[in-house]
Amino acid sequence: MDTKENLLKAVEEKMKKTLENMKKEFLKIRTGRASSSLIEDIKINAYDTKMPLNQLSTITVPESNLIIVQVWDKSLVQTIDKAIREAGLGLNPMVEGNILKIPVPTLSEERRKEIVKALKKRTEEFRVTIRNIRRDYNETIKNMQKNGEISEDEMHKLLQKVQELTDKHIKEIDDIFSKKEKEIMTV
């Protein structure tokens, strides 16, 4: 595999990583429906370290507006309860023994619009990340041509391929946003 193919592969890897980060982040956005992804990555101070909630409990969603967290170690129940309350998700668990019942309140129209507005801003940040990757690699390609590593024709072809990758990933970002917006705004 030559340098040009490695370069294009690196561009695509970085852009895909950006998309994966966006998907992970958007999974945690509350839509008014219960989902284990809302809380599973909340960090809990346990055993002298920070651990994600899903490594300390079983998380189930028996109803569309309820999350059940069954804590394996009873001594961690209060710590987990506090961490969920302080996670900024507006969730208030009810403790029953080693089980936390977490009702997920439905979102008001106003709150839905606020969430979508924040998502639009975050979506633009992901687009900018993709464009920055394009800019960085375009500079690398132009320097390769300037240093005589590739011809001018090869430079134009590579720049075109980087632009195609950019367009493809920005369209995917827009699709992810549209899907999440629809999910949030649909009651």
Side-chain angles (χ1 to χ4, degrees):
M1 200 181 294
D2 68 356
T3 314
K4 293 174 280 188
E5 285 179 44
N6 285 337
L7 188 107
L8 289 173
K9 204 172 217 167
V11 170
E12 188 153 30
E13 295 279 318
K14 281 192 172 185
M15 289 183 178
K16 277 184 178 174
K17 188 84 173 145
T18 301
L19 274 178
E20 290 307 309
N21 290 339
M22 180 184 185
K23 287 176 186 173
K24 273 185 193 170
E25 192 173 308
F26 277 29
L27 265 179
K28 291 173 180 59
I29 305 294
R30 239 185 69 200
T31 61
R33 280 190 285 280
S35 168
S36 61
S37 63
L38 276 175
I39 61 169
E40 65 188 12
D41 289 332
I42 292 176
K43 299 291 184 236
I44 311 296
N45 287 322
Y47 313 116
D48 299 323
T49 186
K50 284 193 174 281
M51 298 176 73
L53 180 57
N54 62 358
Q55 290 183 10
L56 300 166
S57 63
T58 303
I59 304 169
T60 56
V61 183
E63 299 170 27
S64 65
N65 62 349
L66 183 68
I67 301 172
I68 303 286
V69 178
Q70 186 167 1
V71 183
W72 299 327
D73 181 347
K74 195 167 173 51
S75 68
L76 294 174
V77 171
Q78 293 309 314
T79 307
I80 291 172
D81 176 49
K82 186 174 185 240
I84 292 170
R85 289 177 191 276
E86 294 174 353
L89 297 168
L91 300 174
N92 295 307
M94 295 178 288
V95 179
E96 295 177 9
N98 68 327
I99 293 176
L100 285 89
K101 290 184 177 180
I102 309 167
V104 179
T106 54
L107 300 172
S108 67
E109 185 73 18
E110 186 180 324
R111 183 68 181 124
R112 289 173 194 276
K113 287 178 181 172
E114 286 173 19
I115 292 171
V116 168
K117 188 176 177 184
L119 281 181
K120 272 185 185 163
K121 186 174 184 240
R122 195 64 186 113
T123 299
E124 185 54 34
E125 291 169 8
F126 283 111
R127 285 191 200 106
V128 168
T129 301
I130 295 289
R131 291 186 200 116
N132 287 342
I133 294 168
R134 173 188 63 193
R135 184 199 62 222
D136 294 346
Y137 279 94
N138 282 352
E139 284 178 25
T140 301
I141 291 166
K142 288 174 184 172
N143 286 335
M144 288 170 69
Q145 194 271 329
K146 205 183 288 180
N147 297 336
E149 296 171 52
I150 58 173
S151 70
E152 194 168 328
D153 280 350
E154 287 174 310
M155 176 188 76
H156 288 295
K157 283 180 187 169
L158 282 171
L159 291 174
Q160 177 61 36
K161 286 187 176 167
V162 169
Q163 184 59 49
E164 287 168 10
L165 287 170
T166 302
D167 294 343
K168 173 186 157 195
H169 286 87
I170 286 191
K171 183 189 180 319
E172 283 185 56
I173 283 173
D174 292 341
D175 291 346
I176 292 167
F177 169 75
S178 295
K179 185 179 172 191
K180 193 66 177 183
E181 179 184 33
K182 186 178 178 188
E183 190 180 311
I184 290 167
M185 294 309 291
T186 306
V187 182

